[in-house]
Amino acid sequence: MKKIRKAVIPAAGYGTGFLPVTKAIAKEMLPIVDKPVIQFIVEEAVASGIEEILIITGKSKRPIEDHFDSNIELEENLESKGKVKMLEMVQSITQANLFFVRQSYPLGLGDAIYQAKAFVGDEPFVVMLGDNIMDSETPVTKQIMDLYHETGAPNVALVEVEAKETRKYGIADVQTSSSHKLAEDVVHINHFVEKPQPEKAPSNLAIAGRYVLTPEIFDLLENLAPGLDDEVQLTDAIEQLNESKRVLGKVIEGKRYDVGNPMGYMQMSIEYALKHPETAEDFKQYLIRMSKELSE
Ligand code: G1P
């Protein structure tokens, strides 16, 4: 079995959940305290042992490329002022082995992933959605890579969501009988349904923006008709893949933040600020004062 070495990060979407700021700014560049969202994803890939990363970009996304490139002027400036720590931090961002391709027409997540066909070749690979940030001891991408290396089966990361949230995610219909359980947190999948209303949702297990896929997915995507919202849906292609090849679900160890909507973004920002060395203590005191005021 070939080992997973490559990751694909789609970052071509309009970010409509964040208008107006995303009219001219890539949603992937929005900061969580002081770090853009996309950097969390790239760091997770590198921490998981990924060697090559393809970012699928589109209109208004050039700052993503600039962010991971060197900035000689800034580096010289920091060096001349002796700001060594900042210089090291800025330089460390350029270390990942990144490639870029543009999706010319926003035809959906499935179409964005299709742009990775030449990059991926005939190897298994991971897909990491730019608006899902993880907080976990073992990187979530590594968790699903390990499952692939153990089983050879493509798989998706799953998280439990509240009933009212099923309409925001791909939801898995899982086989619950214990004979189909490989481990406590690994399930066989019957079906996937993209963004069902709560009464139509087959479970409360949502696809958490991390996937291990095999190259067959590209043939399926190539011939796939647009689905929900008239977009080529990655979930529909994985549903087809599941017919020919067993697809597994892995309930992740850790916490998933959906930073593609303002509420998830605020939660991530607040919790990260409480851990960030620059802000942790003062911000905690501020939150304590605020919560007292709010409960009065
Ligand atoms: C996409 C997928 C969906 C998945 C979600 C995770 O939806 O289509 O299956 O659950 O990401 O965030 P999107 O957020 O792009 O609408």
Side-chain angles (χ1 to χ4, degrees):
M1 182 203 314
K2 285 191 177 151
K3 284 205 139 201
I4 301 171
R5 304 185 310 109
K6 295 178 178 175
V8 176
I9 305 177
Y14 282 136
T16 45
F18 270 98
L19 280 169
V21 67
T22 45
K23 187 167 173 240
I25 290 176
K27 67 172 175 176
E28 294 78 10
M29 290 305 293
L30 294 179
I32 305 289
V33 183
D34 52 7
K35 199 193 279 191
V37 165
I38 187 86
Q39 196 179 329
F40 285 86
I41 315 295
V42 168
E43 285 176 357
E44 183 188 327
V46 172
S48 300
I50 290 292
E51 294 165 20
E52 294 177 13
I53 302 169
L54 177 72
I55 302 186
I56 320 268
T57 67
K59 220 172 164 10
S60 316
K61 305 285 182 168
R62 197 153 287 159
I64 299 177
E65 289 180 47
D66 292 341
H67 180 69
F68 290 103
D69 198 358
S70 57
N71 182 336
I72 308 290
E73 238 175 79
L74 173 66
E75 288 169 35
E76 281 174 1
N77 183 285
L78 292 173
E79 197 166 13
S80 69
K81 293 191 172 140
K83 297 186 174 170
V84 181
K85 279 232 153 74
M86 270 189 201
L87 177 65
E88 282 170 5
M89 183 260 282
V90 165
Q91 287 175 333
S92 71
I93 302 171
T94 59
Q95 309 280 306
N97 195 8
L98 294 179
F99 299 81
F100 294 89
V101 67
R102 277 172 81 118
Q103 181 193 27
S104 306
Y105 299 97
L107 300 176
L109 178 61
D111 178 69
I113 299 303
Y114 186 72
Q115 312 304 315
K117 187 177 175 183
F119 167 81
V120 165
D122 62 353
E123 299 181 31
F125 65 106
V126 293
V127 170
M128 307 172 73
L129 301 193
D131 51 13
N132 284 230
I133 298 184
M134 308 294 180
D135 183 16
S136 60
E137 234 160 72
T138 305
V140 169
T141 294
K142 174 147 191 333
Q143 294 177 32
I144 60 171
M145 285 165 67
D146 287 348
L147 179 61
Y148 177 82
H149 292 142
E150 277 160 31
T151 62
N155 66 69
V156 301
L158 298 172
V159 277
E160 286 183 22
V161 294
E162 288 178 43
K164 64 173 192 233
E165 304 222 285
T166 57
R167 63 192 166 74
K168 292 200 242 164
Y169 303 111
I171 302 294
D173 176 3
V174 301
Q175 292 182 10
T176 46
S177 94
S178 55
S179 62
H180 286 112
K181 276 200 171 170
L182 299 163
E184 207 33 59
D185 51 357
V186 178
V187 284
H188 284 254
I189 307 282
N190 291 327
H191 289 292
F192 291 103
V193 190
E194 183 66 6
K195 305 196 173 88
Q197 292 299 328
E199 58 281 8
K200 296 240 168 92
S203 78
N204 65 344
L205 289 173
I207 303 177
R210 299 287 184 275
Y211 314 73
V212 172
L213 298 173
T214 44
E216 295 91 340
I217 200 77
F218 295 111
D219 290 337
L220 299 170
L221 285 169
E222 193 169 354
N223 299 307
L224 196 65
L228 186 74
D229 294 334
D230 212 21
E231 291 186 355
V232 179
Q233 295 288 349
L234 180 62
T235 305
D236 294 347
I238 299 174
E239 168 74 0
Q240 287 187 11
L241 183 66
N242 194 30
E243 283 166 20
S244 59
K245 228 175 171 174
R246 181 184 62 174
V247 176
L248 298 175
K250 160 96 175 91
V251 183
I252 63 166
E253 168 275 304
K255 194 163 175 184
R256 187 277 301 252
Y257 299 88
D258 179 357
V259 298
N261 67 71
M263 186 62 192
Y265 178 79
M266 292 309 298
Q267 284 169 345
M268 172 79 206
S269 300
I270 287 173
E271 290 179 38
Y272 188 67
L274 286 168
K275 290 185 212 148
H276 193 296
E278 296 260 325
T279 49
E281 200 40 50
D282 288 352
F283 192 59
K284 182 175 157 195
Q285 297 308 328
Y286 166 75
L287 281 186
I288 292 171
R289 281 200 309 277
M290 275 301 286
S291 58
K292 274 192 196 139
E293 270 179 51
L294 287 171
S295 55
E296 274 166 15

